[in-house]
Amino acid sequence: MRFDIPLALYVHLPWCVRKCPYCDFNSHTAPGALPEDAYVDALLRDLDHDLPLARGRELTSIFFGGGTPSLFEPGSIRRILEGVRERLPLTADCEITMEANPGTVEAARFAGFREAGINRLSLGVQSLDDAMLRRLGRIHDAGQARAAVATARAAGFDNINLDLMYALPDQDPAGAARDLDALIALAPEHISHYQLTLEPGTPFHHRPPPVPNHDTAWTMHADAERRLTAAGYRRYEVSAWARPDRTCRHNRNYWTYGDYLGIGAGAHGKLTDTAGNVLRRAKRHLPNRYMAAAGGPDAIAEERRPDATDRRFEFLMNALRLDAGFAVADYAARTGLPAAELDDLARRHPDLLRLTDGHMACTERGRLYLDTLLADLLPEAA
């Protein structure tokens, strides 16, 4: 079987200087000196263990997430990428992204990361209002964020994403607009613009800050759409905006049910075998336990094979987030399910879905009610 499903690699580096009160990712406060050499060794052992699932396939993208991956030295990132290249071929235009914190100490490393092979940088700015940054528990200020972008440009990065949140504690629409205008002025190629949510298990969930109500948040969202469009950005996913040809290939692969290896503490992977069966695998969350087990089956915390209902829900939940939707042929190829069932979905929900020329997408109304749509389409999986 020839694989037409793209393959990506996710590398999780789990440490932060300080965990933010809204964060529910698998991240841990750095224990002083990081065990970089031991962790890199563990990552490569982990990749070796997963390699039979993907041998012979090319990587179209690599993403270093966290945590704060930029806490690692450029030499460690180089060693990871060299190890990956020894094991798997990369496409000539492979997108290699690193998440980074705008703190000035890490910004000084940007030239080293570029030399190591990183060609796309994603900076967690979150706000350019110092008061808001303090309330969010961020360790940088607005000046450091601006300096980080300038340093990244000087280091040769011509593909930068900036994260910005809205509906922050006590934020009003005027404040959200000022924040966004300040971010647009930095001229990134990509902007991730998303609403602050109070995730279960986080300090913000246990002690909720005074965030704007739904109507106010919606006003911020609608105003942001106008400002981003006027600035030349195109929305291609619910929270993702990009300049032409600067969409995030790695995230698009997630949203279109592509395959990806996941290495590192708490990393998730999804692979399709030659018979069309899907395997999902997650690694141990705690860094020390992960490092001790990496390279063997004990590093796997969870493994499952999604059934037809799961595959249907997983595909539609992600692909319908894309403004352009998806090709019906991809649905059939990547889920193993009959494309004809999409005809039935479109007939049942003509005001929410459109199906034309072998392509399905949400209508404008469908995008507004995507959660309701999915629950209605797939009641057995909701």
Side-chain angles (χ1 to χ4, degrees):
M1 173 181 175
R2 182 172 64 89
F3 272 102
D4 292 321
I5 303 175
L7 177 67
L9 172 66
Y10 176 74
V11 183
H12 193 72
L13 307 181
W15 291 285
C16 290
V17 173
R18 182 173 66 209
K19 192 172 177 72
C20 298
Y22 57 84
C23 178
D24 69 338
F25 295 156
N26 181 39
S27 59
H28 307 266
T29 302
L34 293 176
E36 291 193 42
D37 289 342
Y39 194 77
V40 172
D41 290 342
L43 288 172
L44 297 178
R45 293 197 306 273
D46 193 3
L47 182 56
D48 283 334
H49 187 260
D50 282 357
L51 207 56
L53 300 173
R55 194 176 299 279
R57 297 173 65 182
E58 287 186 316
L59 292 175
T60 61
S61 66
I62 301 171
F63 195 102
F64 289 85
T68 306
S70 53
L71 287 177
F72 273 51
E73 294 289 343
S76 296
I77 302 302
R78 180 189 297 276
R79 190 155 76 89
I80 295 168
L81 289 174
E82 288 175 348
V84 171
R85 289 190 177 94
E86 290 170 0
R87 291 160 172 82
L88 286 168
L90 277 60
T91 58
D93 61 346
C94 185
E95 175 191 273
I96 306 176
T97 301
M98 170 184 276
E99 292 181 335
N101 189 295
T104 54
V105 174
E106 294 164 39
R109 304 180 181 186
F110 286 170
F113 294 138
R114 186 71 186 90
E115 292 171 4
I118 302 297
N119 56 34
R120 182 176 183 273
L121 201 62
S122 181
L123 293 172
V125 172
Q126 313 308 356
S127 176
L128 287 165
D129 180 320
D130 284 341
M132 289 296 179
L133 288 169
R134 288 191 293 272
R135 296 189 73 171
L136 291 172
R138 303 296 290 172
I139 64 169
H140 68 274
D141 60 28
Q144 289 173 321
R146 291 186 174 92
V149 174
T151 302
R153 294 297 191 200
F157 284 100
D158 62 359
N159 195 2
I160 295 175
N161 169 69
L162 300 181
D163 290 343
L164 185 77
M165 292 193 291
Y166 68 94
L168 303 179
D170 288 320
Q171 189 177 51
D172 60 19
R178 286 193 301 271
D179 229 1
L180 181 56
D181 287 345
L183 193 87
I184 290 171
L186 296 175
E189 286 68 33
H190 190 285
I191 294 175
S192 297
H193 184 252
Y194 56 99
Q195 183 176 346
L196 172 65
T197 54
L198 309 183
E199 300 291 350
T202 64
F204 269 12
H205 183 263
H206 293 303
R207 296 180 298 280
V211 295
N213 61 32
H214 175 79
D215 289 343
T216 303
W218 176 254
T219 297
M220 295 174 180
H221 170 80
D223 181 62
E225 286 193 348
R226 292 190 292 270
R227 291 173 185 275
L228 287 163
T229 300
Y233 293 91
R234 183 180 68 84
R235 185 184 66 189
Y236 66 98
E237 188 269 344
V238 172
S239 303
W241 295 76
R243 299 286 191 191
D245 301 320
R246 292 296 192 168
T247 61
C248 179
R249 183 182 307 166
H250 190 85
N251 285 343
R252 286 185 69 92
N253 188 50
Y254 289 150
W255 294 325
T256 54
Y257 215 53
D259 283 350
Y260 48 97
L261 294 162
I263 60 173
H268 288 247
K270 177 242 171 193
L271 276 296
T272 308
D273 66 22
T274 54
N277 301 306
V278 173
L279 173 70
R280 287 196 175 275
R281 178 176 285 180
K283 306 299 170 57
R284 284 181 177 266
H285 278 67
L286 294 178
N288 287 341
R289 292 185 180 180
Y290 165 78
M291 286 189 288
D298 286 348
I300 301 170
E302 180 185 359
E303 193 170 83
R304 65 183 181 88
R305 295 188 179 276
D307 62 18
T309 297
D310 290 334
R311 296 196 304 276
R312 182 184 301 112
F313 184 78
E314 289 172 354
F315 184 99
L316 293 173
M317 176 181 65
N318 288 290
L320 287 175
R321 290 176 61 90
L322 294 167
D323 277 24
F326 61 90
V328 169
D330 284 345
Y331 174 81
R334 299 184 185 189
T335 65
L337 301 173
E341 65 185 26
L342 296 178
D343 294 327
D344 179 59
L345 296 181
R347 283 193 298 269
R348 287 164 48 201
H349 300 277
D351 59 331
L352 302 179
L353 294 169
R354 64 175 184 270
L355 181 59
T356 55
D357 300 324
H359 201 88
M360 174 172 270
C362 284
T363 63
E364 188 63 35
R365 179 177 174 82
R367 282 195 291 272
L368 294 176
Y369 295 98
L370 180 57
D371 289 345
T372 302
L373 171 64
L374 290 171
D376 188 39
L377 294 178
L378 303 165
E380 67 273 27

